[in-house]
């Protein structure tokens, strides 16, 4: 059996785990600017974790547990799609992996 590249694994996890996220700007906070990524970004598995990182983007973008996470302006945001829309996530709800 061939090894499936981590990008394919991340993409299949993403498709199988679409979940609802808070609305943009929830909690009265401005949402980060959108990422304009025309195709699913290349992601790389962070060794020893189940976390994927998109190294080729100008912004930090992390994939974990079917959601995309993005730090911006000292806060964390989450979405079910890599281009957003982004919703604020409380620091205690950001996975600690």
């Amino acid at each position: 059996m061939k090894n499936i590249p981590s990008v394919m694994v991340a993409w299949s996890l993403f498709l199988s785990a679409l979940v609802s996220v808070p609305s943009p700007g929830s909690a009265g906070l401005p949402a980060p600017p959108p990422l304009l990524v025309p195709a699913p970004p290349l992601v790389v598995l962070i060794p020893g974790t189940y976390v994927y990182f998109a190294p080729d983007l100008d912004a930090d973008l992390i994939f974990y547990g079917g959601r995309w996470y993005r730090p911006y302006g000292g806060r964390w945001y989450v979405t079910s799609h890599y281009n957003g829309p982004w919703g604020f996530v409380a620091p205690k709800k950001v996975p600690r992996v």
Side-chain angles (χ1 to χ4, degrees):
M1 184 166 141
K2 294 182 180 178
N3 288 333
I4 300 172
S6 60
V7 174
M8 296 302 293
V9 171
W11 186 241
S12 64
L13 287 173
F14 168 70
L15 291 176
S16 66
L18 289 176
V19 292
S20 63
V21 296
S23 61
S26 59
L29 300 171
L35 291 176
L36 302 176
V37 182
L42 170 70
V43 292
V44 176
L45 180 64
I46 297 172
T49 72
Y50 296 105
V51 179
Y52 294 83
F53 176 72
D56 297 333
L57 300 179
D58 292 333
D60 290 333
L61 186 61
I62 298 163
F63 182 78
Y64 174 77
R67 292 186 177 194
W68 295 90
Y69 291 86
R70 180 178 177 193
Y72 178 79
R75 296 181 179 95
W76 280 91
Y77 295 85
V78 64
T79 187
S80 59
H81 190 272
Y82 57 88
N83 277 331
W86 296 95
F88 173 75
V89 62
K92 66 182 179 182
K93 297 211 177 201
V94 175
R96 302 281 183 232
V97 283

